[in-house]
Amino acid sequence: VKTLVFGGCYVDTEHKREVVTLWARLARNRAPNMSIALFDSASPFDPLQFIPRSLDIDIYSFPENAGHLSHGGGDGAGRALCAGLEHAIEWEFDYAVHWGTDLVFAKPIDEVIGRVSKAEVEVACLGLSQYQFYVWEFAVFAVPWLKRTNFIQKYDWRSVRGPYPHFPRPSLYKKMIPEWRLQEIAGDDLWMLPYSGHRNIGDTVTFANMEEAFPYYPPVWLHMANDMRTYRRFLELNGVAL
Amino acid sequence: VTATLIFTGVNIDSEFKREEFQLWEALTRKLDPKAGVVVFDTASPLEFKTGYEVVRFDDNPGHLSHGGGDGWGRTFTAGIQFAIDEGYDYVCYRERDCFVARPVREVTERMRRTNVKAAHFFLPHYQFPENAFAVYNVDFMWDIKFVEKYDWRNRKPIPMGDTPAVLWRHTPECIIQDILGDDLWLLPWWGSRNDRFAVNYANLHEYCPYEPPTWLHMAQDMRLYHRFLELNGITLP
């Protein structure tokens, strides 16, 4: 089974540089024999300069930063997602794993792919406690399914631009919010991996309270930790040494 | 043709539970008219009416979280064994107080398109999945000897207040997750287990702003169940 692991980034602060470097080291640790690609949106801090070459990560640079929908720009995250999926199709991978660069993930990727291939699941993402939509910052796609469904064309990252207008009803936002759009395209083929984790909006999880927040076992994933100590605590609790 | 069994357990000891079960039956008849349905009755003190087949237990072993035996586990494994013995293809457990706005058929079709053998709901507020609604491939449950592994008779009361690691070994949701292992998948249908009373009939649409919840567990108020059905556009006779 040939798997591509990829993420997108825009690095404009020292903190983000540290986070993306951690991502690169963790991705190589969790996917030691897989191809890993990073799609950079013309960051002020160039990943080609700060990602250690020894990690053997393929870095691709867009000529400009498309922006972020919630900040009034374009769908830069969607562009990186589609670029990775296109890359997986072009190079005939079997699976593409979208792994956001501000998300830490504890399981070996071959274990995840084993689960997905055994169940013949073609698209899988993670559950999210705070919202009605799901986490696509870690998602697995079967590449033949991507081709068959014209997923990239249907997503059409250029079709939406921020900022989100003021709709009278939240349900109307579904046609703009990337997570909802992805869910709509995936349709009945979508399944969720039963991995416990958290999108840390509001910094409710910290390095000090993580064990209490996840009493049964350490979180399998953590998104938007916003604090390097929290990321490191995550790795420590999961027994991952980089 | 795929044969699916839906089963639930009841212990009707209040008017509310009787009314709740009547609504459960009406919803099941509307959404899954062709499924086989069996109701396991744990020696209910009150009588109740149903058009479905009823399997009656002679006693009530109690509930693990209330210091009793694993009455829930007895029903759960009895339903799975029933599906095995009767030759069903899929078996769905839907708890009496768990309302789902979509037919079980949609889940079994989704499972048939893949090789997914076990499907539960995602439970936002816990580290384990929701098992008030679960769909399984019956051959798979036979192959992994689920009923024997769960072994409801040897389940001990949950030692509330003990460490999470101990609780994990005693909590049915966690035990089931361990038995199913890598074969467990979650359905991307959003809903709520209302054990913290976060949702009520007045705030349900605000709690789920994008679209109505697909499922609701432990509503504890008939008005909330009716509001759930209303938001999902379901009218029952």
Side-chain angles (χ1 to χ4, degrees):
Chain A
V1 177
K2 201 174 147 196
T3 301
L4 172 71
V5 176
F6 73 95
C9 70
Y10 178 73
V11 185
D12 60 351
T13 64
E14 280 292 338
H15 172 70
K16 286 186 186 172
R17 175 152 72 173
E18 213 173 337
V19 171
V20 174
T21 304
L22 180 73
W23 174 87
R25 294 171 64 205
L26 180 61
R28 179 48 73 208
N29 181 282
R30 299 290 85 185
N33 302 312
M34 293 177 186
S35 297
I36 301 176
L38 179 62
F39 294 86
D40 174 53
S41 293
S43 293
F45 293 93
D46 185 355
L48 279 166
Q49 302 301 320
F50 68 80
I51 298 290
R53 291 179 193 278
S54 60
L55 294 174
D56 190 24
I57 289 175
D58 298 320
I59 300 172
Y60 301 92
S61 301
F62 294 112
E64 82 293 325
N65 176 20
H68 196 288
L69 289 175
S70 57
H71 302 153
D75 187 5
R79 179 177 67 172
L81 170 69
C82 292
L85 299 179
E86 273 177 5
H87 186 81
I89 292 171
E90 188 178 344
W91 291 93
E92 298 182 337
F93 283 89
D94 299 302
Y95 290 100
V97 177
H98 178 234
W99 180 348
T101 52
D102 56 352
L103 182 144
V104 282
F105 187 83
K107 287 197 177 290
I109 301 303
D110 59 1
E111 185 182 317
V112 179
I113 296 299
R115 185 178 202 131
V116 169
S117 61
K118 181 182 178 188
E120 297 173 17
V121 165
E122 297 182 297
V123 52
C125 65
L126 299 169
L128 185 58
S129 61
Q130 303 106 315
Y131 298 98
Q132 272 192 280
F133 47 76
Y134 305 119
V135 176
W136 291 83
E137 287 301 306
F138 188 93
V140 183
F141 302 85
V143 173
W145 178 85
L146 288 170
K147 284 195 280 193
R148 196 173 71 242
T149 59
N150 286 321
F151 188 89
I152 296 167
Q153 290 81 356
K154 284 181 183 167
Y155 183 76
D156 188 12
W157 69 269
R158 292 180 184 84
S159 65
V160 178
R161 266 198 85 79
Y164 297 123
H166 291 287
F167 288 126
R169 296 190 302 278
S171 58
L172 296 175
Y173 285 101
K174 288 169 73 176
K175 62 187 177 192
M176 291 199 71
I177 293 175
E179 287 90 340
W180 279 115
R181 297 180 62 224
L182 292 165
Q183 189 174 333
E184 173 77 20
I185 298 167
D188 282 354
D189 292 323
L190 179 64
W191 287 89
M192 286 158 65
L193 290 155
Y195 297 150
S196 172
H198 186 62
R199 180 189 280 199
N200 203 24
I201 291 172
D203 295 324
T204 51
V205 174
T206 67
F207 69 94
N209 73 7
M210 194 179 296
E211 269 187 298
E212 292 160 20
F214 296 89
Y216 291 106
Y217 56 89
V220 175
W221 59 274
L222 184 65
H223 187 204
M224 299 179 178
N226 299 315
D227 183 338
M228 291 310 295
R229 294 172 301 180
T230 308
Y231 284 125
R232 290 193 196 102
R233 182 65 175 146
F234 169 91
L235 297 176
E236 183 182 45
L237 288 176
N238 277 291
V240 177
L242 299 178
Chain B
V1 178
T2 302
T4 301
L5 174 73
I6 299 171
F7 74 99
T8 194
V10 296
N11 179 264
I12 306 295
D13 58 0
S14 67
E15 279 301 328
F16 172 76
K17 286 186 184 174
R18 184 148 55 186
E19 198 177 346
E20 190 180 50
F21 176 64
Q22 281 170 354
L23 196 63
W24 184 97
E25 179 166 343
L27 181 62
T28 304
R29 285 192 184 284
K30 182 173 182 81
L31 295 183
D32 288 290
K34 292 181 178 171
V37 180
V38 63
V39 178
F40 292 88
D41 173 32
T42 305
S44 292
L46 300 182
E47 288 191 1
F48 62 97
K49 287 181 182 172
T50 176
Y52 290 137
E53 179 178 354
V54 179
V55 175
R56 296 187 194 282
F57 295 115
D58 294 334
D59 60 342
N60 179 8
H63 199 287
L64 291 177
S65 59
H66 302 150
D70 191 4
W72 182 90
R74 179 176 69 174
T75 293
F76 190 68
T77 50
I80 291 167
Q81 189 63 52
F82 189 97
I84 292 170
D85 295 342
E86 298 296 321
Y88 282 93
D89 301 303
Y90 290 92
V91 59
C92 169
Y93 173 66
R94 191 165 73 228
E95 223 149 83
R96 184 207 71 249
D97 57 352
C98 182
F99 283 62
V100 183
R102 290 161 75 167
V104 174
R105 186 186 66 254
E106 278 189 34
V107 182
T108 57
E109 284 172 1
R110 199 185 265 253
M111 291 170 78
R112 284 178 67 195
R113 282 207 307 277
T114 63
N115 197 30
V116 170
K117 306 294 189 189
H120 284 223
F121 282 149
F122 165 63
L123 193 51
H125 303 296
Y126 294 94
Q127 279 193 275
F128 43 75
E130 174 63 87
N131 63 359
F133 178 88
V135 184
Y136 304 115
N137 176 292
V138 174
D139 286 343
F140 166 76
M141 298 301 266
W142 165 253
D143 288 343
I144 66 166
K145 301 196 182 312
F146 181 90
V147 173
E148 293 84 345
K149 284 182 183 167
Y150 185 87
D151 190 14
W152 72 269
R153 289 180 183 81
N154 285 314
R155 295 289 161 205
K156 304 285 187 294
I158 299 173
M160 296 297 188
D162 210 323
T163 62
V166 173
L167 292 178
W168 184 274
R169 292 200 301 272
H170 288 81
T171 304
E173 287 90 338
C174 307
I175 296 163
I176 292 169
Q177 186 171 353
D178 281 346
I179 296 172
L180 296 174
D182 278 357
D183 289 300
L184 175 63
W185 284 87
L186 303 181
L187 285 158
W189 290 0
W190 204 87
S192 174
R193 178 194 279 203
N194 200 29
D195 53 358
R196 298 177 186 181
F197 300 98
V199 181
N200 58 53
Y201 72 97
N203 75 4
L204 184 59
H205 64 288
E206 291 164 9
Y207 192 78
C208 312
Y210 291 103
E211 61 184 20
T214 305
W215 58 274
L216 180 65
H217 184 203
M218 300 182 182
Q220 308 180 69
D221 181 341
M222 291 309 294
R223 293 173 301 178
L224 179 51
Y225 286 125
H226 289 297
R227 180 66 174 145
F228 166 83
L229 297 173
E230 182 184 48
L231 286 176
N232 277 290
I234 296 173
T235 51
L236 299 176

